[in-house]
Amino acid sequence: MIILLGGTGYVGSAFVRLLLAGGVPHRVVSRSEVDYYNRDKLVSVICESKAEFLINAAGYTGKPNVDACELNKPDCLLGNSVLPGIVRAACDLADIPWGHVSSGCIYTGSPGGAGFTEEDPPNFTFRRDNCSFYSGCKAIGEECLEDAEGVYIWRLRIPFNDEDSPRNYISKLLRYERLLEARNSLSHLDEFVSACWQCWQRRVSAGIYNVTNTGSITTHEVVEMLQKFLVPDRQFDFFKSEDEFMSVAAT
């Protein structure tokens, strides 16, 4: 039996599809059913279900995008910094291993053009005083899991797939009036959840895993592919600078 937190979100729904396709017994635990911010209640659910593994895909990403987390800091802090610590405590008490969906947004730049490894400390955090509120909270969430045993930390970066969703990177590019030019790593969502699941299925060593597609890509490069294969007549407008983007991103 697998326990899944956050099963109704964009990432969590992909885990549900994978578990259903594989015939894996699982239970999606929603906050409307169980207040999993309460450690003891979460422990009870784990034990009652006789779960052998838990996946935490819950968190706070803001609406319409993560930049809106700047406007709702209490929920962002609770979902991305506090909850991982609660889940850790519950899984420790229930004595089961688990996996946590984290984020590659805790990094900025590209050292030497080679990107970051799992051994590189996050550099887009509150401790560096250079980050967004969302990224800072996700970094704290990982700090809550330092030295934890039996936990996988799966770092997702800008997910996309063929599902039309407001969380899908491709859908965002098609819907936004203006885009920000940036170079990023991407994660194909279905490949991401498959790789995460295989960590547990194959019993690989617990620890941190950067689960992204190979290499990186710019917004302009993605747009060029969209124009070539999907929307040949569409014209895309770009912000003049990141400062201009940030001035309107949270509205």
Side-chain angles (χ1 to χ4, degrees), residues 217-236:
I217 193 168
T218 67
T219 314
H220 267 100
E221 288 171 335
V222 177
V223 163
E224 288 174 1
M225 287 188 283
L226 290 176
Q227 290 173 321
K228 181 177 180 180
F229 297 108
L230 189 61
V231 285
D233 298 325
R234 171 74 181 273
Q235 297 299 313
F236 293 85

Side-chain angles (χ1 to χ4, degrees), residues 109-117 120 185 215:
S110 180
F116 297 92
T117 71
D120 292 315
S185 300

Side-chain angles (χ1 to χ4, degrees), residues 37-65:
Y37 284 83
N38 182 309
R39 184 203 63 184
D40 293 338
K41 290 184 178 180
L42 182 55
V43 171
S44 295
V45 169
I46 294 171
C47 294
E48 290 170 2
S49 304
K50 298 182 179 179
E52 59 175 347
F53 190 70
L54 181 146
I55 298 171
N56 177 35
Y60 184 81
T61 55
K63 293 180 180 180
N65 52 50

Side-chain angles (χ1 to χ4, degrees), residues 8-196:
T8 60
Y10 181 50
V11 177
S13 295
F15 274 109
V16 170
R17 290 194 297 270
L18 179 143
L19 296 172
L20 287 172
V24 180
H26 63 279
R27 178 179 177 183
V28 176
V29 178
S30 66
R31 287 190 67 187
S32 60
E33 174 193 4
V34 175
D35 179 13
Y36 49 67
Y37 284 83
N38 182 309
R39 184 203 63 184
D40 293 338
K41 290 184 178 180
L42 182 55
V43 171
S44 295
V45 169
I46 294 171
C47 294
E48 290 170 2
S49 304
K50 298 182 179 179
E52 59 175 347
F53 190 70
L54 181 146
I55 298 171
N56 177 35
Y60 184 81
T61 55
K63 293 180 180 180
N65 52 50
V66 296
D67 300 295
C69 291
E70 306 292 332
L71 304 177
N72 201 348
K73 293 180 178 180
D75 284 345
C76 183
L77 185 65
L78 183 63
N80 299 320
S81 299
V82 177
L83 180 60
I86 294 172
V87 177
R88 173 185 178 171
C91 289
D92 284 348
L93 288 171
D95 194 25
I96 66 166
W98 64 291
H100 172 63
V101 177
S102 187
S103 172
C105 292
I106 58 179
Y107 290 100
T108 185
S110 180
F116 297 92
T117 71
E118 287 81 355
E119 285 71 39
D120 292 315
N123 69 344
F124 196 54
T125 69
F126 292 138
R127 298 189 185 282
R128 294 289 189 96
D129 192 26
N130 66 340
C131 65
S132 67
F133 198 77
Y134 172 79
S135 296
C137 288
K138 294 298 285 190
I140 289 178
E142 286 201 9
E143 288 186 22
C144 292
L145 305 183
E146 287 181 0
D147 302 320
E149 296 183 1
V151 58
Y152 299 97
I153 297 175
W154 301 310
R155 289 174 176 158
L156 174 74
R157 180 62 176 152
I158 308 186
F160 73 99
N161 64 355
D162 59 358
E163 173 188 357
D164 185 15
S165 165
R167 301 299 182 186
N168 183 344
Y169 179 54
I170 304 300
S171 297
K172 291 179 181 180
L173 294 183
L174 292 172
R175 288 174 180 165
Y176 287 175
E177 293 184 3
R178 285 191 291 173
L179 308 177
L180 175 67
E181 172 64 358
R183 177 173 290 278
N184 284 297
S185 300
L186 305 179
S187 299
H188 188 283
L189 182 58
D190 301 301
E191 293 178 356
F192 171 84
V193 299
S194 177
C196 294

